[in-house]
Amino acid sequence: MTGAPARPVGQPVGAGTTMRFVLLAVLVLVTSGLMLLYMAFWWFSGAESYKCDLAAGVDAEHMSDLELLITRSSQWVAYRNCQLAHARPPSWWIPLLWLGILALVAVALFLWLPVWKARRGRVVELAEIDGSRAVRDDLAEVAARAGLERLPRVVVDPSVLSVGAVVFGRNRRPVLCLYGGLLALRARDPGAFKAVLLHEFAHIRNGDVTLTYATVALWRVFLFLVAPPYLVGIGMYLYLQNRSGGSLWAVPVRSVIQFLALVALMYLARSDVLRSREIHADRAAVRWGADFGGWHVTEAPAPGGALRRRLASFAVLWRSHPRWELRRGALTDSGPVYAVPALPMFLTGAATVLINSQLSLALRPYLELSAAPIAQAVALAAAGLVAGVVGVTLWRAVIHAVLTGRRPPSGLRAGLWLGAGMAVGTLLSGQGTIEQFFPSRNALLLLFLLGGPAFTWWTAQVARLWVTAWRGRTIRVALVVSLAAGGLALAQWFGWWYGSGAPLATGWWYEAEGMRQRLEQLYPGPAADHATMLSGIGVVFPLVLNTNALPLSAVAVAGLWLVPLAAWIPGRTAATPWTRTAAADIEGATEPPACRPPRLRGALLTGLSCGLAACAAVVTVLVLPGTGASGAATEGGSLPALLFLAWTYLALVAAAATAAAIVSVRARQYRLPVALIAAHTAALVGAAGVLVLLLSDGCVDGLRLLEPSSCAWQPARLTFWLDLHITLDFALMTVTVAAVAVAAAVSAVRRVPALRRRPRRAAGPGRDGPSAVRRGPLVALCVVALAASGAEAAYRQDRMPRKVTDYRAVQDEFRQVSPRAGTGAVTPSTRARQVDAWNEIGGKDLLDRFRRDRGRLLAIGRTFARGKEPPSYLFRLRPVCESIGRTAVDASRYFGFPEARGQLVWQRFVLDAANSTLDCRTAMDHLGAARYKQAGAAIGTTFQKAGTAYRSADAIDARTAEIRRAAGR
């Protein structure tokens, strides 16, 4: 080939479309897997799983999600057993096999599409019509200018008269198809001909071919292989529901709406990725000398009227190619190319929430109740996708703004769109709802409109800080580290929402009196003397409990302030800084000098002072007798230990919030990073003081925390007291939220014109970096904080609960701290269906088992009463009694009777059956010791209580018949 090669592209950060494609691919695969799982559920269980709700006493026609949640969870053991019996998921290999088949089909389609497009009869090889090789020589020249090592395969489609071309295939084996109209253009306008070729070669050079056709293959596989059977499955489910008399229509209807929304979401995301690729190909072509003014494109004039223009703009969102007006504008002004558009932010927010929710739902049937590691991994994956798409977009925008002298984006607008997408994704996925269309507490969805802007604001501030201060050879390390820190923090948010936020959205919350009783059980002590403090702890304690599922929270919050802090200790300027090559790639950009960040001494001193104040507050708590914090027994829990942790939490949060407020008021730029640094410096100093106090406990008279206490080096105190670690982690999370809230409030106030400060003179260009004396303390602070947070995360990860095996304990705890479900009126038909389901899935079987065992009991008694058998014959009662006992245990684990009067009879039945077994065991013990008189009395009691239980069983059948007659059955 001949011609000058294309100059290298100096982009410090990629275009970001690859991560958006990954997001789309993950969404397609996760959605397809979950849809298959639903179809398998519907196929194997039909409407049988609905009977578990009926047997539990659920009235879907009148119950709210809150009442439904309480009804299910208060009978969790029975409900779980019922689901395992009547709604067991398919074997784990079936979803994996299904995803494997989808992947194989997508790969096969991806490989087959270029073969189909290049088939004979539709296109011809260029060599067949280019005998003089003149066209091929032109192509070789243009390809060399684009920097391609070899010319791709070239075919011609003479039937298409438009002036254009298309590249298909894959990156390593691309095929360039020239339209007949383009070949005709070559003679009369060689410049336009080469411009079109450069655009297509830019797609090859940028690696667009594989991504484009992989996107097309995934989209078609989903649309034609996943969607039809899923819709058939929904129809089958609705049919079975209607045939069985079911009335839970919200879930299937929401499934249809969710499917339609997913199709629209995927199509918009696909079109957005393809449009972005076209813009970048245009810009690359112009860099290589394409004359975009010669492109022959006729476009319809813009429609008149505001409504028509809005409709036209909306229609453009669905096109895979951008408008020519936008394409021409992007060639002369690089601003729109590096902007932060609203649509990708919204789509990313919705897609990641759907991925997080659907992946969790797909894995839940195969995991234990508290599979925290899997939930953590899912949250990390979803947050990583957000950070990869949104973070890269913001970094690109900040780099462009700094290099062109424009105002860097704040990230707030992007965050609002991101949060709006998350809120919509939450509604589509049904998080916070069970059988309702909308959460009972819709206001909680506004938290996404706070969390999204907080993430993007922090990302934009950190990007600006590093872009203006760092002049090394590359900025990519800072980019990756900041995205990892932001993604890790966002994963904690996802983990909190899925674990606590979604249940709260149903309207549920802990019952205050029950939570206080729970605290008194876990932490025994003189509760009456600290009633006010216990009431406050009861409000916060449920939030603290959720941190058990967030073991990486310490590392997450550390990253939020250590990553920006590291920007104050940059290395020396490189011979060829990254800004030089980046400026060469952006029109109108210049290489700006490095700017020193604002002085950090005041923020660090403020944090240090507030941290020391927190230490003094903790010492005061131990000295004052009225606080009740001394004499704590950390093993097994005690009220003094709980009070000490509560006072420690308050001291740390108050000190950190004060530091953040002081620094935020003083700061003129980078308010959020500086507030986080000051707040966490105060928290770190305060926590260190608490740990020193704990390690030196007993060495100072009057400062005795533990009981017993001894002045000796005992580092084990830091490991066995899990509650201390949970409290510190929760305090750090609270400090982070408080610092963000304070910085946001101060920034909002500063926007009021009357309250704005006169700006100071801008900082001058930076020298090679801070002196070693100034750099040393910052490095030491970063190392200590990172080591402490890493050790804390490792400890929490090791102590994180892997699974829950005692479901009875979980159920009992829920009953204690949960409010009671309402007892509204139930229609006779619904009540009859509840009773029928209760009998069908286990109740009748339990009654029949007891009746059979009672019959065997009576048969043994009658045989012995004839006087022909020795006393040892009565030992035959033991297996029968044990069988009755097992029935009583199974009955206690089964649903309560779904009607008040019948439930009282059912409780008596379970109690009498259990007591008859206990009396029978006593009789067998007496019989074995030859105490025949006592044995006879105990056997008589056994028969009496078994008879009472038998009459209760008959009463339950009679009550069932009454309920059925009332419903006309």
Side-chain angles (χ1 to χ4, degrees):
M1 295 184 185
T2 61
R7 63 181 175 86
V9 177
Q11 291 186 0
V13 181
T17 51
T18 301
M19 277 302 302
R20 281 147 70 181
F21 167 76
V22 171
L23 177 69
L24 176 62
V26 172
L27 178 62
V28 171
L29 291 176
V30 171
T31 300
S32 301
L34 186 64
M35 287 181 175
L36 165 79
L37 198 61
Y38 283 162
M39 285 187 286
F41 269 119
W42 297 334
W43 181 262
F44 289 114
S45 64
E48 295 296 316
S49 61
Y50 176 65
K51 294 179 181 178
C52 296
D53 283 317
L54 285 174
V58 170
D59 179 13
E61 296 177 354
H62 303 95
M63 270 190 175
S64 64
D65 277 351
L66 172 61
E67 293 171 325
L68 196 151
L69 174 66
I70 295 173
T71 301
R72 285 179 178 174
S73 300
S74 60
Q75 304 179 87
W76 174 250
V77 174
Y79 189 80
R80 178 177 179 274
N81 292 335
C82 182
Q83 290 289 313
L84 290 176
H86 299 278
R88 179 175 290 277
S91 300
W92 60 269
W93 57 268
I94 294 180
L96 291 181
L97 178 63
W98 171 248
L99 290 177
I101 292 174
L102 290 181
L104 288 176
V105 172
V107 170
L109 181 61
F110 170 75
L111 297 175
W112 177 77
L113 281 174
V115 176
W116 174 255
K117 284 177 171 288
R119 69 188 185 277
R120 284 193 170 276
R122 178 176 178 177
V123 299
V124 296
E125 297 290 337
L126 177 64
E128 297 180 11
I129 61 175
D130 184 29
S132 63
R133 298 179 61 89
V135 177
R136 185 174 183 84
D137 291 341
D138 288 347
L139 290 173
E141 177 190 350
V142 176
R145 192 190 306 177
L148 299 183
E149 295 180 357
R150 59 186 179 86
L151 188 67
R153 177 189 173 191
V154 183
V155 297
V156 178
D157 188 347
S159 63
V160 181
L161 301 181
S162 61
V163 179
V166 63
V167 176
F168 53 85
R170 50 189 185 273
N171 291 338
R172 294 189 176 184
R173 298 184 63 181
V175 179
L176 173 63
C177 180
L178 306 178
Y179 295 157
L182 181 63
L183 289 179
L185 179 69
R186 171 177 169 269
R188 68 175 186 269
D189 194 345
F193 174 75
K194 293 181 179 180
V196 173
L197 292 179
L198 284 171
H199 172 88
E200 299 304 327
F201 288 150
H203 281 305
I204 300 175
R205 177 77 183 276
N206 293 341
D208 295 348
V209 185
T210 295
L211 286 180
T212 299
Y213 283 90
T215 303
V216 172
L218 276 175
W219 168 249
R220 292 183 179 178
V221 166
F222 173 80
L223 203 59
F224 297 107
L225 195 60
V226 177
Y230 179 72
L231 294 177
V232 172
I234 292 179
M236 183 180 70
Y237 179 81
L238 292 174
Y239 169 75
L240 293 174
Q241 275 271 69
N242 182 64
R243 192 178 66 177
S244 63
S247 57
L248 292 179
W249 303 108
V251 171
V253 172
R254 186 169 59 219
S255 297
V256 175
I257 297 174
Q258 183 187 65
F259 168 77
L260 296 176
L262 277 171
V263 171
L265 182 70
M266 292 177 187
Y267 193 87
L268 285 171
R270 166 185 172 272
S271 301
D272 180 65
V273 170
L274 297 180
R275 284 198 306 272
S276 298
R277 292 282 178 177
E278 291 297 321
I279 294 291
H280 288 286
D282 288 346
R283 290 174 54 80
V286 170
R287 283 199 305 270
W288 299 333
D291 180 13
F292 67 91
W295 288 354
H296 296 264
V297 178
T298 302
E299 195 172 50
L307 179 60
R308 286 191 173 186
R309 285 196 299 270
R310 290 183 180 276
L311 292 176
S313 299
F314 179 73
V316 168
L317 300 178
W318 303 86
R319 295 173 53 183
S320 59
H321 281 66
R323 299 191 312 270
W324 282 102
E325 176 186 357
L326 177 62
R327 297 175 69 168
R328 293 192 186 100
L331 297 178
T332 56
D333 181 12
S334 59
V337 179
Y338 290 88
V340 186
L343 180 62
M345 300 297 103
F346 179 86
L347 295 176
T348 301
T352 49
V353 169
L354 287 170
I355 289 172
N356 184 52
S357 172
Q358 293 181 344
L359 194 54
S360 299
L361 288 174
L363 294 175
R364 182 190 297 175
Y366 303 97
L367 303 173
E368 295 291 339
L369 174 66
S370 181
I374 301 299
Q376 174 182 269
V378 171
L380 287 172
L385 292 172
V386 176
V389 175
V390 178
V392 168
T393 303
L394 285 170
W395 268 79
R396 282 171 48 83
V398 170
I399 290 173
H400 177 268
V402 171
L403 296 184
T404 57
R406 305 184 186 187
R407 182 178 179 180
S410 66
L412 295 179
R413 178 176 176 272
L416 287 173
W417 280 107
L418 176 66
M422 290 181 178
V424 172
T426 300
L427 287 175
L428 290 176
S429 63
Q431 291 187 52
T433 64
I434 302 177
E435 300 297 342
Q436 298 177 183
F437 281 104
F438 298 101
S440 298
R441 290 179 175 147
N442 289 312
L444 285 179
L445 294 178
L446 296 177
L447 291 176
F448 289 104
L449 298 181
L450 300 177
F455 168 75
T456 53
W457 185 27
W458 179 87
T459 302
Q461 291 265 290
V462 171
R464 182 182 179 186
L465 183 60
W466 276 97
V467 167
T468 55
W470 180 254
R471 289 300 178 267
R473 293 184 60 186
T474 178
I475 195 70
R476 291 180 182 270
V477 175
L479 165 68
V480 172
V481 173
S482 70
L483 294 186
L488 190 57
L490 195 61
Q492 310 311 301
W493 159 259
F494 283 150
W496 175 86
W497 172 258
Y498 197 77
S500 291
L504 289 178
T506 63
W508 183 81
W509 186 244
Y510 294 85
E511 198 269 328
E513 184 61 28
M515 176 54 68
R516 178 168 174 173
Q517 293 175 3
R518 181 67 178 170
L519 287 174
E520 293 176 3
Q521 292 175 3
L522 295 174
Y523 303 94
D529 298 337
H530 306 281
T532 303
M533 196 67 177
L534 280 177
S535 298
I537 294 174
V539 175
V540 181
F541 191 73
L543 299 176
V544 180
L545 291 177
N546 189 242
T547 61
N548 283 330
L550 305 174
L552 298 179
S553 58
V555 176
V557 298
L560 292 179
W561 68 282
L562 290 180
V563 170
L565 179 63
W568 268 266
I569 48 176
R572 296 182 179 276
T573 302
T576 306
W578 68 271
T579 49
R580 187 170 304 168
T581 55
D585 184 60
I586 301 175
E587 296 82 357
T590 58
E591 181 184 357
C595 294
R596 294 191 302 268
R599 297 187 63 182
L600 199 60
R601 180 180 179 183
L604 294 177
L605 289 178
T606 301
L608 177 61
S609 302
C610 291
L612 293 175
C615 296
V618 174
V619 171
T620 304
V621 166
L622 288 178
V623 172
L624 295 178
T627 59
S630 59
T634 57
E635 294 186 5
S638 65
L639 183 59
L642 178 65
L643 294 174
F644 172 77
L645 295 177
W647 285 113
T648 299
Y649 169 80
L650 290 176
L652 293 178
V653 172
T658 302
I662 294 173
V663 170
S664 295
V665 171
R666 293 178 178 177
R668 287 175 170 80
Q669 56 180 337
Y670 307 120
R671 182 170 286 117
L672 178 58
V674 173
L676 287 170
I677 291 171
H680 280 283
T681 300
L684 182 64
V685 173
V690 172
L691 297 181
V692 170
L693 188 65
L694 179 61
L695 291 173
S696 62
D697 188 58
C699 297
V700 180
D701 293 337
L703 287 180
R704 291 184 178 273
L705 168 61
L706 303 178
E707 191 66 39
S709 179
S710 62
C711 183
W713 176 255
Q714 298 183 32
R717 294 173 178 173
L718 301 181
T719 59
F720 68 76
W721 199 1
L722 177 61
D723 289 350
L724 174 64
H725 292 267
I726 294 176
T727 302
L728 292 179
D729 283 0
F730 184 67
L732 292 177
M733 287 189 286
T734 308
V735 165
T736 303
V737 174
V740 174
V742 167
V746 174
S747 296
V749 171
R750 291 290 187 216
R751 294 181 68 87
V752 179
L755 299 177
R756 289 181 180 175
R757 287 188 177 185
R758 187 171 55 188
R760 288 182 177 179
R761 183 173 56 89
R767 295 184 292 270
D768 286 345
S771 64
V773 176
R774 292 175 55 197
R775 183 184 293 118
L778 293 182
V779 172
L781 178 60
C782 290
V783 170
V784 170
L786 190 60
S789 60
E792 174 66 11
Y795 172 83
R796 290 297 306 281
Q797 190 79 23
D798 182 65
R799 298 292 295 270
M800 183 175 60
R802 263 50 178 189
K803 61 181 180 179
V804 173
T805 54
D806 192 353
Y807 296 100
R808 170 69 67 176
V810 175
Q811 175 180 286
D812 293 342
E813 180 179 348
F814 182 87
R815 289 177 176 176
Q816 182 180 21
V817 302
S818 175
R820 301 294 178 263
T823 55
V826 180
T827 61
S829 61
T830 298
R831 184 70 77 194
R833 292 173 56 234
Q834 291 174 344
V835 170
D836 287 344
W838 185 89
N839 278 284
E840 182 178 344
I841 65 175
K844 186 177 184 300
D845 178 67
L846 289 169
L847 296 176
D848 290 343
R849 281 169 53 188
F850 171 76
R851 289 189 176 105
R852 287 193 299 269
D853 289 334
R854 195 241 181 186
R856 293 166 58 197
L857 204 69
L858 292 178
I860 294 172
R862 283 193 293 264
T863 301
F864 182 77
R866 296 191 185 107
K868 298 180 180 180
E869 303 293 342
S872 60
Y873 179 79
L874 292 176
F875 280 116
R876 296 189 178 188
L877 292 174
R878 185 188 297 276
V880 181
C881 292
E882 293 302 324
S883 180
I884 292 176
R886 287 191 294 271
T887 300
V889 171
D890 292 343
S892 67
R893 295 175 178 172
Y894 188 60
F895 297 110
F897 193 82
E899 191 266 340
R901 286 172 52 190
Q903 171 62 11
L904 295 176
V905 179
W906 174 252
Q907 290 174 344
R908 288 199 301 269
F909 165 78
V910 175
L911 182 61
D912 289 335
N915 286 334
S916 69
T917 299
L918 296 177
D919 291 335
C920 184
R921 290 172 181 172
T922 302
M924 294 301 102
D925 292 340
H926 288 312
L927 190 63
R931 295 189 293 267
Y932 299 121
K933 182 177 180 180
Q934 293 90 334
I939 290 175
T941 306
T942 299
F943 277 74
Q944 179 186 359
K945 292 182 178 178
T948 305
Y950 184 84
R951 289 189 292 274
S952 296
D954 289 343
I956 291 173
D957 287 343
R959 185 57 187 156
T960 299
E962 291 178 13
I963 293 173
R964 290 177 57 84
R965 284 195 299 270
R969 298 190 180 186

